[in-house]
């Protein structure tokens, strides 16, 4: 990686495109736009880490390295924990710590308003995004099964599926007894060779930064290709404000590099900071908000987290954190008393995450009770759900009262679950407990979590009710784009990185087309 | 308590580790987080908080968990959210120490017998600031405790796997591995 960085093109003066954020969206855009012949500078607040030199196989040591842990105000009845599990800070963004699940939205997800009268429709359908899903999967090298039985998946993946671990084996037994279909989760993790990257060695330390490049984070996939195509990645550069000229166009970005203010002029500015930092930057810049929609409709994926203890040791922490999955509970089902649904997947946690997750949801879990559970660490496996949340304008990102170390107002994040969210969590709790009982678990414990941050800069046709158009261009400023998880009108019950990358390829293709 | 992984077995696990990760973990091993003096807390605050940490995580590995917390203050540990209206981190811990003593009906928390300490902790959980203090303080203590290699040996976590990888994946392989390990007969 070092030689690649030394050979990188550097730009002095105005460029065609300035991208803010080098995560799943920003690095995909950088590659596609640079390959299309545009001059591209990417500003990334985090560092450009080396997988071999900088990543350690240690849970604690990596916490301060990979996560966006700047101050944020978090409030509401279901306040978000921000950093670790949802927002990254590094070249590669959250994909450096993600679990690499690569799932497509289902075709039904794009038309909820039309078909069910809930939420909002996407401005286009699944068939529009389908070719871009395929391109993203092929490029990062997704491994997965050959016969996914659920809608919106391909028949076979570029690489064969990962191996199950012992925790998967016992959970599969529970699924089988209940007649629930399951498959190994498609992952951006190689099981064979691909362009100098080696197959997965089952280190288990995916969330601490994969040392072997087997995990297809943006850091080892889109970024090297972007640099090769002539994009410049500027690490440790924090965007403070997007500037506007008297004609109403944006003119570039003011950013801080080692505390020094700098300015990058650009014909196009693309905000790719994910669903907390993107609206924060727009609000701090006073842009794209004539609708008052910037920051609104924040969505997460609430999740049930079940811990099942088995007589046999499982050493569940071996292999990537996510194993087999089922999408059978996906979408609205007439037998249930709530809208939409969830997926379930086997999960693993190293000791810190294991203990802190349990403690956060179980007020009795301290003292000797904590030891009783943790001293059986090799005997537990974990089954989690990813639940769909519908948009609610009152769940939102605004500017807080406090300022960060650079004097920039921080984001205030407000989250309250509604009755639908609570009913769905109760149902996913029940299903997980049933699976564990069927699998023969000796003890079951439950906790709740929240994954991903999405929404806040909705995509749509109507400038009165959305922030960006179907091509991710802001309705208000014709040369300002927002392209990341913030533009999702609804979020399905799947991890978002694949959809973010597919959207970014589609957006880049459009920009190159209209630029000609 | 008999650890699941013996010292001898842990030494064998440690051999292939890369130098950087080995240095990080050896450091924890050699210091046990102990600090000659605390930077952030008065003696009274320290005794209450130390007793509270021990009530939450009754450790028998000889670790200075309050020393770990004192050392870690200023590091975000990957989490940046804070509840509006709550005191900043260090003040929250100091306020927590004061609350612990106050809720212990005037006696210092560290002097309470076990059942009364439990009552105090329940009262703490019913107080808005007390609850938030307990959440953040406990979370931080858990980070120190469960990243210490002596605790990994206790619970059966093998630590870093790079560069060799863990090679036992399936049920039968895991079982065989455990049958060879020191703590197998305990379960």
């Amino acid at each position: 990686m070092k030689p690649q960085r030394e050979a990188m093109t550097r730009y002095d003066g105005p460029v065609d495109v300035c991208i803010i954020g080098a995560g799943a969206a920003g690095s995909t855009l950088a590659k596609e736009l640079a390959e299309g012949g545009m001059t591209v500078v990417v500003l990334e607040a985090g560092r450009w880490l080396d997988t071999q030199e900088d990543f350690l196989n240690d849970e604690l040591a990596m916490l301060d390295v990979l996560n966006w842990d700047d101050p944020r105000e978090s409030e509401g009845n279901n306040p978000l924990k921000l950093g670790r599990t949802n927002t990254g800070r590094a070249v590669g963004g959250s994909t450096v710590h993600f679990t690499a699940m690569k799932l497509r939205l289902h075709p039904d997800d794009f038309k909820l308003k039309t078909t069910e009268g809930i939420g909002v429709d996407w401005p286009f359908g699944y068939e529009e995004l389908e070719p871009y899903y395929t391109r993203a999967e092929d490029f990062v090298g997704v491994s997965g099964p050959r016969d996914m039985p659920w809608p919106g998946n391909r028949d076979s993946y570029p690489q064969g599926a990962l191996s199950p671990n012992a925790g998967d084996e016992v959970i599969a037994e529970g699924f089988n007894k209940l007649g629930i279909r399951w498959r190994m989760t498609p992952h951006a993790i190689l099981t064979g060779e691909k362009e100098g990257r080696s197959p997965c060695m089952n280190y288990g330390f995916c969330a601490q930064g994969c040392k072997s490049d087997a995990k297809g984070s943006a850091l080892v996939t889109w970024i090297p290709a972007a640099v090769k195509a002539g994009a410049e990645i500027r690490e440790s550069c924090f965007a403070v404000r997007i500037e506007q000229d008297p004609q109403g166009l944006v003119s570039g970005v003011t950013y801080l590099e080692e505390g020094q203010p700098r300015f990058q002029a650009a014909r196009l500015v693309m905000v790719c900071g994910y669903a907390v930092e993107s609206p924060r930057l727009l609000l701090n810049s006073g842009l794209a908000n004539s609708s008052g929609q910037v920051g609104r409709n924040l969505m997460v994926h609430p999740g049930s987290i079940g811990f099942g203890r088995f007589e046999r040791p499982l050493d569940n922490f071996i292999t990537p954190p996510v194993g087999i999955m089922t999408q059978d509970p996906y979408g609205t089902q007439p037998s249930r008393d709530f809208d939409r649904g969830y997926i379930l997947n086997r999960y693993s946690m190293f000791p810190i995450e294991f203990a802190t997750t349990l403690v956060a949801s179980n007020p009795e879990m301290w003292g000797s009770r904590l030891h009783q559970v943790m001293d059986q660490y090799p005997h537990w496996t974990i089954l989690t759900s990813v639940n769909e949340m519908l948009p609610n304008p009152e769940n939102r990102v605004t500017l807080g009262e406090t300022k960060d170390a650079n004097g920039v107002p921080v984001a205030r994040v407000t989250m309250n679950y509604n009755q639908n969210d609570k009913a769905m969590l109760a149902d996913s709790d029940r299903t997980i407990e049933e699976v564990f009982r069927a699998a023969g678990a000796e003890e079951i414990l439950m906790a709740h979590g929240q994954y991903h941050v999405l929404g806040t800069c909705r995509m749509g046709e109507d400038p009165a009710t959305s922030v960006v158009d179907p091509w991710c261009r802001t309705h208000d400023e014709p040369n300002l784009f927002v392209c990341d998880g913030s533009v999702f009108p609804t979020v399905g019950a799947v991890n978002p990185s694949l959809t973010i990358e597919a959207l970014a390829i589609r957006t880049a293709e459009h920009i190159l087309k209209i630029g000609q | 308590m008999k650890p699941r992984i013996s010292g001898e077995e842990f030494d064998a696990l440690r051999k292939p580790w890369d130098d950087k990760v080995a240095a990080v973990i050896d450091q924890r091993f050699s210091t046990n987080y102990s600090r000659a003096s605390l930077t952030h807390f008065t003696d009274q605050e320290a005794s209450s908080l130390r007793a509270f940490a021990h009530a939450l995580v009754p450790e028998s590995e000889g670790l200075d968990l309050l020393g770990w917390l004192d050392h870690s203050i200023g590091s975000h540990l990957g989490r940046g959210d804070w509840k509006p209206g709550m005191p900043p981190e260090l003040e929250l811990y100091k306020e927590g120490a004061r609350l612990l003593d106050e809720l212990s009906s005037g006696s210092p928390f560290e002097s309470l017998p076990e059942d009364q300490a439990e009552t105090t902790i329940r009262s703490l959980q019913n107080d808005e600031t007390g609850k938030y203090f307990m959440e953040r303080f406990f979370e931080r203590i858990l980070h120190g405790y469960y990243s210490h290699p002596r605790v990994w040996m206790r619970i059966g976590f093998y630590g870093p796997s790079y560069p060799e990888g863990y090679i036992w994946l399936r049920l039968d392989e895991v079982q065989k591995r455990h049958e060879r390990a020191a703590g197998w007969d305990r379960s």
Side-chain angles (χ1 to χ4, degrees):
Chain A
M1 177 176 296
K2 291 260 163 68
Q4 171 204 103
R5 249 188 269 185
E6 279 154 23
M8 181 169 71
T9 311
R10 319 251 166 194
Y11 296 96
D12 191 14
V15 291
D16 292 330
V17 189
C18 179
I19 296 170
I20 301 162
S27 40
T28 304
L29 286 167
K31 179 218 173 230
E32 298 292 323
L33 293 173
E35 285 182 352
M38 297 183 93
T39 52
V40 177
V41 164
V42 185
L43 304 175
E44 166 55 48
R47 289 170 53 210
W48 195 342
L49 300 163
D50 183 274
T51 56
Q52 279 291 305
E53 289 291 311
D54 297 317
F55 294 164
L56 298 184
N57 266 197
D58 187 71
E59 202 182 4
L60 181 66
M62 295 312 290
L63 283 179
D64 282 328
V65 181
L66 302 180
N67 305 290
W68 192 290
D69 57 7
D70 279 5
R72 285 152 164 178
E73 299 173 8
S74 183
E75 63 169 16
N77 293 329
N78 305 90
L80 303 188
K81 293 182 183 181
L82 290 160
R84 206 169 306 181
T85 57
N86 45 27
T87 48
R89 184 193 180 105
V91 171
S94 296
T95 69
V96 176
H97 74 242
F98 78 163
T99 57
M101 294 171 76
K102 277 291 194 253
L103 299 169
R104 298 180 178 195
L105 288 166
H106 288 201
D108 291 353
D109 292 333
F110 293 80
K111 300 285 172 208
L112 295 189
K113 188 73 181 173
T114 302
T115 56
E116 300 184 33
I118 52 173
V120 62
D121 287 351
W122 284 55
F124 47 79
Y126 173 84
E127 61 292 343
E128 169 71 21
L129 216 46
E130 201 277 334
Y132 303 101
Y133 273 141
T134 305
R135 274 170 66 180
E137 287 162 346
D138 289 347
F139 180 73
V140 301
V142 174
S143 62
R146 298 214 161 268
D147 53 348
M148 288 276 275
W150 303 286
N153 289 286
R154 57 196 280 174
D155 296 331
S156 72
Y157 285 90
Q159 305 236 332
L162 286 162
S163 299
N165 74 6
D168 288 314
E169 287 183 74
V170 294
I171 288 171
E173 204 179 314
F175 281 151
N176 288 343
K177 284 194 180 146
L178 298 174
I180 295 172
R181 298 171 296 176
W182 57 269
R183 294 291 183 278
M184 177 52 68
T185 302
H187 282 86
I189 296 178
L190 301 182
T191 51
E193 303 272 333
K194 183 175 165 61
E195 291 148 24
R197 290 162 55 205
S198 51
C200 178
M201 291 282 288
N202 290 310
Y203 292 133
F205 285 83
C206 303
Q208 287 67 34
C210 172
K211 281 182 83 76
S212 81
D213 294 357
K215 187 176 89 168
S217 66
L219 176 63
V220 303
T221 55
W222 304 103
I223 288 287
V227 170
K228 195 174 163 198
E232 179 186 350
I233 316 295
R234 289 189 196 148
E235 63 175 318
S236 304
C237 288
F238 173 71
V240 177
R241 197 172 51 255
I242 300 164
E243 308 293 352
Q244 203 171 13
D245 67 21
Q247 286 73 44
L249 293 172
V250 297
S251 54
V253 183
T254 298
Y255 64 98
L256 295 170
E257 185 173 20
E258 292 175 358
Q260 295 304 308
R262 302 193 194 285
F263 178 71
Q264 176 61 53
R267 288 169 53 215
L268 302 179
V269 172
M270 311 200 71
V271 181
C272 307
Y274 213 17
V276 175
E277 291 304 314
S278 286
R280 178 192 178 205
L281 180 60
L282 292 177
L283 291 169
N284 275 323
S285 305
L287 290 170
N289 198 23
S290 65
S291 61
Q293 291 295 306
V294 170
R296 292 196 179 272
N297 300 300
L298 172 68
M299 290 165 277
V300 295
H301 287 122
S304 299
I305 306 169
F307 299 76
R309 183 168 59 77
F310 290 81
E311 187 185 359
R312 299 177 75 170
L314 304 170
D315 284 355
N316 183 52
F317 53 88
I318 298 169
T319 73
V322 172
I324 61 169
M325 64 170 300
T326 181
Q327 298 190 4
D328 280 2
Y330 204 101
T332 302
Q333 303 188 1
S335 60
R336 303 188 302 208
D337 62 347
F338 54 89
D339 291 323
R340 307 306 294 158
Y342 53 90
I343 63 172
L344 298 175
N345 60 269
R346 196 272 302 164
Y347 190 59
S348 70
M349 295 180 185
F350 287 134
I352 295 174
E353 188 184 3
F354 197 109
T356 53
T357 302
L358 270 176
V359 161
S361 293
N362 294 277
E364 308 289 317
M365 191 62 67
W366 53 272
S368 56
R369 177 71 187 122
L370 176 71
H371 278 319
Q372 266 173 26
V373 172
M374 290 301 295
D375 287 348
Q376 299 287 327
Y377 180 68
H379 290 261
W380 294 92
T381 185
I382 302 169
L383 185 59
T384 62
S385 70
V386 174
N387 295 15
E388 177 166 356
M389 169 179 269
L390 291 162
N392 168 0
E394 298 312 314
N395 287 329
R396 62 188 297 205
V397 173
T398 52
L399 294 179
E401 285 163 15
T402 48
K403 293 185 174 170
D404 70 10
N406 299 315
V408 183
V410 305
R412 173 174 287 203
V413 181
T414 307
M415 177 55 66
N416 291 293
Y417 291 174
N418 66 16
Q419 192 45 44
N420 200 68
D421 302 322
K422 291 174 193 167
M424 196 187 306
L425 272 172
D427 193 77
S428 46
D429 281 358
R430 268 194 304 277
T431 308
I432 288 172
E433 288 174 71
E434 279 170 23
V435 172
F436 273 137
R437 270 197 297 275
E442 294 182 324
E443 184 180 2
I444 302 165
L445 295 169
M446 295 304 300
H448 287 154
Q450 301 151 323
Y451 310 99
H452 317 123
V453 286
L454 301 159
T456 72
C457 298
R458 176 184 282 174
M459 174 167 53
E461 302 277 4
D462 183 356
T465 57
S466 59
V467 178
V468 299
D469 73 11
W471 302 102
C472 295
R473 183 207 301 251
T474 60
H475 292 299
D476 293 351
E477 283 80 26
N479 63 338
L480 175 64
F481 289 72
V482 183
C483 183
D484 59 20
S486 7
V487 305
F488 286 26
T490 57
V491 299
V494 295
N495 305 47
S497 73
L498 181 65
T499 304
I500 293 171
E501 290 169 355
L503 267 178
I505 301 174
R506 177 179 174 273
T507 299
E509 201 174 85
H510 178 72
I511 288 171
L512 292 169
K513 207 177 287 170
I514 58 169
Q516 278 165 1
Chain B
M1 141 139 353
K2 190 174 173 185
R4 286 181 181 271
I5 302 171
S6 70
E8 196 182 12
E9 197 183 20
F10 201 81
D11 286 344
L13 288 167
R14 186 195 171 288
K15 277 205 182 95
W17 293 352
D18 64 86
D19 293 344
K20 277 189 183 171
V21 84
V24 166
I25 292 162
D26 287 351
Q27 164 86 0
R28 294 175 198 157
F29 236 135
S30 63
T31 65
N32 289 336
Y33 304 135
S34 73
R35 313 204 82 196
S37 64
L38 298 181
T39 308
H40 298 290
F41 301 105
T42 66
D43 288 350
Q44 180 49 47
E45 287 163 350
S47 357
S48 299
L49 292 175
R50 192 165 268 129
F52 185 48
H54 191 75
L56 297 175
V57 185
E59 65 89 30
S60 49
E61 286 75 28
L63 310 182
D64 180 359
L65 292 178
L66 190 64
W68 141 259
L69 179 129
D70 185 63
H71 176 73
S72 78
I73 283 176
S75 152
H76 294 148
L77 301 180
R79 187 177 168 190
D81 59 282
W82 204 255
K83 187 174 175 178
M86 284 292 141
E89 186 181 18
L90 180 57
E91 269 82 307
L92 182 72
Y93 299 150
K94 287 173 174 288
E95 173 67 10
R98 202 190 58 72
L99 269 172
L100 279 169
D101 290 350
E102 184 185 298
L103 295 169
S104 309
S105 328
S107 328
F109 179 75
E110 73 273 16
S111 66
L112 297 182
E114 205 170 311
D115 58 327
Q116 281 180 42
E118 196 169 324
T119 310
T120 298
I121 289 173
R122 283 183 209 292
S123 316
L124 196 68
Q125 288 175 316
N126 289 323
D127 175 278
E128 194 194 356
T129 307
K131 184 167 178 265
Y132 197 61
F133 154 68
M134 179 163 161
E135 178 193 326
R136 302 302 295 235
F137 180 87
F138 196 2
E139 184 181 70
R140 205 156 264 252
I141 292 293
L142 289 169
H143 278 75
Y145 186 67
Y146 285 110
S147 54
H148 199 281
R150 278 187 222 290
V151 179
W152 296 347
M153 291 160 71
R154 167 184 176 135
I155 66 174
F157 174 60
Y158 298 97
S161 59
Y162 180 85
E164 297 198 337
Y166 303 121
I167 51 165
W168 56 100
L169 287 187
R170 308 297 290 265
L171 271 175
D172 289 344
E173 295 158 0
V174 172
Q175 178 114 10
K176 279 188 193 122
R177 171 88 190 173
H178 277 254
E179 282 166 1
R180 287 199 303 274
W184 171 251
D185 58 352
R186 200 184 57 164
S187 52

